[in-house]
Amino acid sequence: MKVKVSRKEHFNAAHRLYNPEWSDDQNAKVFGKCSNPNYHGHNYEVIVSVTGEPDPRTGYVFDMKLLSDLIRENVLSKLDHKNLNLDTEFFKNLNPTAENIAVVIWRILRQKIDSDLELKITLYETERNFVEYPAS
Ligand code: NI
């Protein structure tokens, strides 16, 4: 009897999508406005989902207060109001696409959550564009 529980949080961050092996023209062709050299911001929504058996003692799959604290202390503190390219270690050598941001968030939280529980990250970069990791 597995149940999935989710917590939604949000953060603002700036980024530039850029492949340093390409010319500015090629970057502009591939990444469009997201390659603007002076960066731009997004209001990201992140949904962290944990799936597992409810604990028979509490009825909880995962304490949502604890999940909220984990996200705030380990993810939002590192990404919120940051320039992802310049202010974080994660994207020094990794393009800060929604895909890569979701994988980074998953890797951070995976270390904090019991391995018996499945973890999924859904990241909205805009209201209409979102990614999920893992994919299934
Ligand atoms: Ni962008």
PDB file of all heavy atoms in Angstrom, residues 42-66:
ATOM      1  N   HIS A  42      13.765  33.322 -13.283  1.00  0.00           N
ATOM      2  CA  HIS A  42      12.541  32.517 -13.330  1.00  0.00           C
ATOM      3  C   HIS A  42      11.997  32.378 -11.918  1.00  0.00           C
ATOM      4  O   HIS A  42      12.754  32.372 -10.941  1.00  0.00           O
ATOM      5  CB  HIS A  42      12.820  31.106 -13.863  1.00  0.00           C
ATOM      6  CG  HIS A  42      13.169  31.065 -15.314  1.00  0.00           C
ATOM      7  ND1 HIS A  42      12.227  31.137 -16.314  1.00  0.00           N
ATOM      8  CD2 HIS A  42      14.362  30.955 -15.942  1.00  0.00           C
ATOM      9  CE1 HIS A  42      12.831  31.067 -17.492  1.00  0.00           C
ATOM     10  NE2 HIS A  42      14.134  30.959 -17.300  1.00  0.00           N
ATOM     11  N   ASN A  43      10.670  32.240 -11.837  1.00  0.00           N
ATOM     12  CA  ASN A  43      10.032  31.864 -10.575  1.00  0.00           C
ATOM     13  C   ASN A  43       9.811  30.360 -10.630  1.00  0.00           C
ATOM     14  O   ASN A  43       8.866  29.899 -11.273  1.00  0.00           O
ATOM     15  CB  ASN A  43       8.692  32.576 -10.407  1.00  0.00           C
ATOM     16  CG  ASN A  43       8.866  34.067 -10.258  1.00  0.00           C
ATOM     17  OD1 ASN A  43       9.739  34.523  -9.516  1.00  0.00           O
ATOM     18  ND2 ASN A  43       8.062  34.829 -10.975  1.00  0.00           N
ATOM     19  N   TYR A  44      10.688  29.622 -10.009  1.00  0.00           N
ATOM     20  CA  TYR A  44      10.610  28.168 -10.068  1.00  0.00           C
ATOM     21  C   TYR A  44       9.659  27.636  -8.998  1.00  0.00           C
ATOM     22  O   TYR A  44       9.639  28.142  -7.868  1.00  0.00           O
ATOM     23  CB  TYR A  44      11.987  27.545  -9.816  1.00  0.00           C
ATOM     24  CG  TYR A  44      12.994  27.789 -10.907  1.00  0.00           C
ATOM     25  CD1 TYR A  44      13.896  28.850 -10.819  1.00  0.00           C
ATOM     26  CD2 TYR A  44      13.060  26.951 -12.013  1.00  0.00           C
ATOM     27  CE1 TYR A  44      14.834  29.064 -11.813  1.00  0.00           C
ATOM     28  CE2 TYR A  44      13.997  27.161 -13.017  1.00  0.00           C
ATOM     29  CZ  TYR A  44      14.877  28.227 -12.906  1.00  0.00           C
ATOM     30  OH  TYR A  44      15.804  28.445 -13.889  1.00  0.00           O
ATOM     31  N   GLU A  45       8.883  26.624  -9.385  1.00  0.00           N
ATOM     32  CA  GLU A  45       8.087  25.867  -8.413  1.00  0.00           C
ATOM     33  C   GLU A  45       8.684  24.467  -8.371  1.00  0.00           C
ATOM     34  O   GLU A  45       8.898  23.863  -9.431  1.00  0.00           O
ATOM     35  CB  GLU A  45       6.630  25.747  -8.867  1.00  0.00           C
ATOM     36  CG  GLU A  45       5.875  27.050  -8.927  1.00  0.00           C
ATOM     37  CD  GLU A  45       5.246  27.436  -7.592  1.00  0.00           C
ATOM     38  OE1 GLU A  45       5.122  26.550  -6.726  1.00  0.00           O
ATOM     39  OE2 GLU A  45       4.905  28.602  -7.431  1.00  0.00           O
ATOM     40  N   VAL A  46       8.961  23.999  -7.188  1.00  0.00           N
ATOM     41  CA  VAL A  46       9.505  22.646  -7.084  1.00  0.00           C
ATOM     42  C   VAL A  46       8.553  21.809  -6.228  1.00  0.00           C
ATOM     43  O   VAL A  46       8.103  22.256  -5.164  1.00  0.00           O
ATOM     44  CB  VAL A  46      10.944  22.648  -6.512  1.00  0.00           C
ATOM     45  CG1 VAL A  46      11.032  23.288  -5.150  1.00  0.00           C
ATOM     46  CG2 VAL A  46      11.522  21.232  -6.484  1.00  0.00           C
ATOM     47  N   ILE A  47       8.217  20.623  -6.740  1.00  0.00           N
ATOM     48  CA  ILE A  47       7.371  19.692  -5.996  1.00  0.00           C
ATOM     49  C   ILE A  47       8.231  18.470  -5.674  1.00  0.00           C
ATOM     50  O   ILE A  47       8.760  17.822  -6.576  1.00  0.00           O
ATOM     51  CB  ILE A  47       6.132  19.283  -6.824  1.00  0.00           C
ATOM     52  CG1 ILE A  47       5.292  20.526  -7.132  1.00  0.00           C
ATOM     53  CG2 ILE A  47       5.309  18.238  -6.060  1.00  0.00           C
ATOM     54  CD1 ILE A  47       4.234  20.306  -8.184  1.00  0.00           C
ATOM     55  N   VAL A  48       8.391  18.228  -4.398  1.00  0.00           N
ATOM     56  CA  VAL A  48       9.190  17.092  -3.935  1.00  0.00           C
ATOM     57  C   VAL A  48       8.213  16.009  -3.485  1.00  0.00           C
ATOM     58  O   VAL A  48       7.402  16.236  -2.576  1.00  0.00           O
ATOM     59  CB  VAL A  48      10.116  17.509  -2.777  1.00  0.00           C
ATOM     60  CG1 VAL A  48      10.881  16.303  -2.244  1.00  0.00           C
ATOM     61  CG2 VAL A  48      11.077  18.602  -3.236  1.00  0.00           C
ATOM     62  N   SER A  49       8.278  14.842  -4.132  1.00  0.00           N
ATOM     63  CA  SER A  49       7.353  13.754  -3.827  1.00  0.00           C
ATOM     64  C   SER A  49       8.106  12.574  -3.231  1.00  0.00           C
ATOM     65  O   SER A  49       9.162  12.189  -3.739  1.00  0.00           O
ATOM     66  CB  SER A  49       6.628  13.296  -5.096  1.00  0.00           C
ATOM     67  OG  SER A  49       5.879  14.367  -5.643  1.00  0.00           O
ATOM     68  N   VAL A  50       7.539  12.034  -2.174  1.00  0.00           N
ATOM     69  CA  VAL A  50       8.119  10.881  -1.488  1.00  0.00           C
ATOM     70  C   VAL A  50       7.067   9.773  -1.496  1.00  0.00           C
ATOM     71  O   VAL A  50       5.910  10.011  -1.123  1.00  0.00           O
ATOM     72  CB  VAL A  50       8.512  11.244  -0.036  1.00  0.00           C
ATOM     73  CG1 VAL A  50       9.070  10.038   0.694  1.00  0.00           C
ATOM     74  CG2 VAL A  50       9.534  12.395  -0.034  1.00  0.00           C
ATOM     75  N   THR A  51       7.476   8.594  -1.952  1.00  0.00           N
ATOM     76  CA  THR A  51       6.545   7.464  -2.056  1.00  0.00           C
ATOM     77  C   THR A  51       7.027   6.314  -1.191  1.00  0.00           C
ATOM     78  O   THR A  51       8.219   5.973  -1.215  1.00  0.00           O
ATOM     79  CB  THR A  51       6.433   6.997  -3.520  1.00  0.00           C
ATOM     80  OG1 THR A  51       5.990   8.087  -4.324  1.00  0.00           O
ATOM     81  CG2 THR A  51       5.432   5.844  -3.648  1.00  0.00           C
ATOM     82  N   GLY A  52       6.101   5.742  -0.441  1.00  0.00           N
ATOM     83  CA  GLY A  52       6.439   4.586   0.384  1.00  0.00           C
ATOM     84  C   GLY A  52       5.227   4.118   1.165  1.00  0.00           C
ATOM     85  O   GLY A  52       4.122   4.631   0.993  1.00  0.00           O
ATOM     86  N   GLU A  53       5.477   3.149   2.014  1.00  0.00           N
ATOM     87  CA  GLU A  53       4.412   2.624   2.877  1.00  0.00           C
ATOM     88  C   GLU A  53       4.220   3.568   4.064  1.00  0.00           C
ATOM     89  O   GLU A  53       5.212   3.942   4.695  1.00  0.00           O
ATOM     90  CB  GLU A  53       4.834   1.255   3.435  1.00  0.00           C
ATOM     91  CG  GLU A  53       5.154   0.206   2.390  1.00  0.00           C
ATOM     92  CD  GLU A  53       3.922  -0.563   1.956  1.00  0.00           C
ATOM     93  OE1 GLU A  53       2.883  -0.500   2.650  1.00  0.00           O
ATOM     94  OE2 GLU A  53       3.996  -1.222   0.906  1.00  0.00           O
ATOM     95  N   PRO A  54       2.986   3.914   4.398  1.00  0.00           N
ATOM     96  CA  PRO A  54       2.787   4.692   5.625  1.00  0.00           C
ATOM     97  C   PRO A  54       3.331   3.915   6.834  1.00  0.00           C
ATOM     98  O   PRO A  54       3.141   2.698   6.945  1.00  0.00           O
ATOM     99  CB  PRO A  54       1.268   4.848   5.707  1.00  0.00           C
ATOM    100  CG  PRO A  54       0.783   4.667   4.315  1.00  0.00           C
ATOM    101  CD  PRO A  54       1.730   3.686   3.677  1.00  0.00           C
ATOM    102  N   ASP A  55       4.024   4.616   7.704  1.00  0.00           N
ATOM    103  CA  ASP A  55       4.535   4.023   8.935  1.00  0.00           C
ATOM    104  C   ASP A  55       3.345   3.632   9.813  1.00  0.00           C
ATOM    105  O   ASP A  55       2.491   4.482  10.094  1.00  0.00           O
ATOM    106  CB  ASP A  55       5.417   5.072   9.636  1.00  0.00           C
ATOM    107  CG  ASP A  55       6.089   4.528  10.896  1.00  0.00           C
ATOM    108  OD1 ASP A  55       5.425   3.762  11.637  1.00  0.00           O
ATOM    109  OD2 ASP A  55       7.244   4.890  11.135  1.00  0.00           O
ATOM    110  N   PRO A  56       3.244   2.356  10.228  1.00  0.00           N
ATOM    111  CA  PRO A  56       2.068   1.944  11.007  1.00  0.00           C
ATOM    112  C   PRO A  56       1.930   2.705  12.336  1.00  0.00           C
ATOM    113  O   PRO A  56       0.827   2.842  12.860  1.00  0.00           O
ATOM    114  CB  PRO A  56       2.285   0.443  11.249  1.00  0.00           C
ATOM    115  CG  PRO A  56       3.700   0.172  10.901  1.00  0.00           C
ATOM    116  CD  PRO A  56       4.166   1.242   9.984  1.00  0.00           C
ATOM    117  N   ARG A  57       3.029   3.231  12.845  1.00  0.00           N
ATOM    118  CA  ARG A  57       2.957   3.945  14.127  1.00  0.00           C
ATOM    119  C   ARG A  57       2.383   5.348  13.984  1.00  0.00           C
ATOM    120  O   ARG A  57       1.702   5.856  14.863  1.00  0.00           O
ATOM    121  CB  ARG A  57       4.355   4.038  14.763  1.00  0.00           C
ATOM    122  CG  ARG A  57       4.917   2.683  15.175  1.00  0.00           C
ATOM    123  CD  ARG A  57       6.399   2.776  15.432  1.00  0.00           C
ATOM    124  NE  ARG A  57       7.112   3.210  14.220  1.00  0.00           N
ATOM    125  CZ  ARG A  57       8.427   3.363  14.134  1.00  0.00           C
ATOM    126  NH1 ARG A  57       9.187   3.183  15.193  1.00  0.00           N
ATOM    127  NH2 ARG A  57       8.991   3.720  13.006  1.00  0.00           N
ATOM    128  N   THR A  58       2.695   6.000  12.841  1.00  0.00           N
ATOM    129  CA  THR A  58       2.265   7.396  12.674  1.00  0.00           C
ATOM    130  C   THR A  58       1.201   7.562  11.604  1.00  0.00           C
ATOM    131  O   THR A  58       0.471   8.562  11.599  1.00  0.00           O
ATOM    132  CB  THR A  58       3.463   8.274  12.234  1.00  0.00           C
ATOM    133  OG1 THR A  58       3.945   7.768  10.968  1.00  0.00           O
ATOM    134  CG2 THR A  58       4.580   8.262  13.264  1.00  0.00           C
ATOM    135  N   GLY A  59       1.129   6.594  10.665  1.00  0.00           N
ATOM    136  CA  GLY A  59       0.259   6.787   9.508  1.00  0.00           C
ATOM    137  C   GLY A  59       0.889   7.682   8.452  1.00  0.00           C
ATOM    138  O   GLY A  59       0.284   7.940   7.417  1.00  0.00           O
ATOM    139  N   TYR A  60       2.101   8.160   8.696  1.00  0.00           N
ATOM    140  CA  TYR A  60       2.792   9.035   7.744  1.00  0.00           C
ATOM    141  C   TYR A  60       3.723   8.224   6.851  1.00  0.00           C
ATOM    142  O   TYR A  60       4.419   7.325   7.329  1.00  0.00           O
ATOM    143  CB  TYR A  60       3.697  10.030   8.476  1.00  0.00           C
ATOM    144  CG  TYR A  60       3.029  11.180   9.182  1.00  0.00           C
ATOM    145  CD1 TYR A  60       3.775  11.929  10.096  1.00  0.00           C
ATOM    146  CD2 TYR A  60       1.715  11.548   8.935  1.00  0.00           C
ATOM    147  CE1 TYR A  60       3.215  13.008  10.755  1.00  0.00           C
ATOM    148  CE2 TYR A  60       1.145  12.623   9.600  1.00  0.00           C
ATOM    149  CZ  TYR A  60       1.894  13.352  10.505  1.00  0.00           C
ATOM    150  OH  TYR A  60       1.352  14.418  11.153  1.00  0.00           O
ATOM    151  N   VAL A  61       3.786   8.599   5.565  1.00  0.00           N
ATOM    152  CA  VAL A  61       4.890   8.148   4.718  1.00  0.00           C
ATOM    153  C   VAL A  61       6.141   8.935   5.092  1.00  0.00           C
ATOM    154  O   VAL A  61       7.234   8.381   5.213  1.00  0.00           O
ATOM    155  CB  VAL A  61       4.553   8.364   3.219  1.00  0.00           C
ATOM    156  CG1 VAL A  61       5.769   8.083   2.341  1.00  0.00           C
ATOM    157  CG2 VAL A  61       3.376   7.495   2.811  1.00  0.00           C
ATOM    158  N   PHE A  62       5.946  10.237   5.272  1.00  0.00           N
ATOM    159  CA  PHE A  62       7.055  11.125   5.633  1.00  0.00           C
ATOM    160  C   PHE A  62       6.447  12.342   6.311  1.00  0.00           C
ATOM    161  O   PHE A  62       5.439  12.883   5.850  1.00  0.00           O
ATOM    162  CB  PHE A  62       7.822  11.551   4.375  1.00  0.00           C
ATOM    163  CG  PHE A  62       9.219  12.026   4.645  1.00  0.00           C
ATOM    164  CD1 PHE A  62      10.282  11.135   4.662  1.00  0.00           C
ATOM    165  CD2 PHE A  62       9.482  13.369   4.894  1.00  0.00           C
ATOM    166  CE1 PHE A  62      11.579  11.568   4.914  1.00  0.00           C
ATOM    167  CE2 PHE A  62      10.764  13.803   5.153  1.00  0.00           C
ATOM    168  CZ  PHE A  62      11.814  12.904   5.161  1.00  0.00           C
ATOM    169  N   ASP A  63       7.031  12.764   7.386  1.00  0.00           N
ATOM    170  CA  ASP A  63       6.543  13.932   8.116  1.00  0.00           C
ATOM    171  C   ASP A  63       6.696  15.181   7.232  1.00  0.00           C
ATOM    172  O   ASP A  63       7.812  15.539   6.838  1.00  0.00           O
ATOM    173  CB  ASP A  63       7.376  14.074   9.399  1.00  0.00           C
ATOM    174  CG  ASP A  63       6.901  15.217  10.276  1.00  0.00           C
ATOM    175  OD1 ASP A  63       6.483  16.267   9.733  1.00  0.00           O
ATOM    176  OD2 ASP A  63       6.967  15.066  11.507  1.00  0.00           O
ATOM    177  N   MET A  64       5.583  15.826   6.880  1.00  0.00           N
ATOM    178  CA  MET A  64       5.633  16.937   5.928  1.00  0.00           C
ATOM    179  C   MET A  64       6.368  18.150   6.489  1.00  0.00           C
ATOM    180  O   MET A  64       6.950  18.922   5.726  1.00  0.00           O
ATOM    181  CB  MET A  64       4.213  17.328   5.512  1.00  0.00           C
ATOM    182  CG  MET A  64       3.482  16.218   4.786  1.00  0.00           C
ATOM    183  SD  MET A  64       4.356  15.679   3.297  1.00  0.00           S
ATOM    184  CE  MET A  64       3.588  16.722   2.097  1.00  0.00           C
ATOM    185  N   LYS A  65       6.328  18.306   7.800  1.00  0.00           N
ATOM    186  CA  LYS A  65       7.100  19.406   8.414  1.00  0.00           C
ATOM    187  C   LYS A  65       8.594  19.150   8.209  1.00  0.00           C
ATOM    188  O   LYS A  65       9.344  20.062   7.845  1.00  0.00           O
ATOM    189  CB  LYS A  65       6.749  19.483   9.913  1.00  0.00           C
ATOM    190  CG  LYS A  65       7.613  20.421  10.736  1.00  0.00           C
ATOM    191  CD  LYS A  65       7.324  21.876  10.399  1.00  0.00           C
ATOM    192  CE  LYS A  65       7.899  22.850  11.416  1.00  0.00           C
ATOM    193  NZ  LYS A  65       9.366  22.867  11.426  1.00  0.00           N
ATOM    194  N   LEU A  66       8.997  17.887   8.416  1.00  0.00           N
ATOM    195  CA  LEU A  66      10.393  17.523   8.201  1.00  0.00           C
ATOM    196  C   LEU A  66      10.782  17.689   6.733  1.00  0.00           C
ATOM    197  O   LEU A  66      11.869  18.193   6.408  1.00  0.00           O
ATOM    198  CB  LEU A  66      10.621  16.077   8.668  1.00  0.00           C
ATOM    199  CG  LEU A  66      12.024  15.502   8.500  1.00  0.00           C
ATOM    200  CD1 LEU A  66      13.052  16.331   9.232  1.00  0.00           C
ATOM    201  CD2 LEU A  66      12.050  14.057   9.012  1.00  0.00           C
TER     202      LEU A  66
END
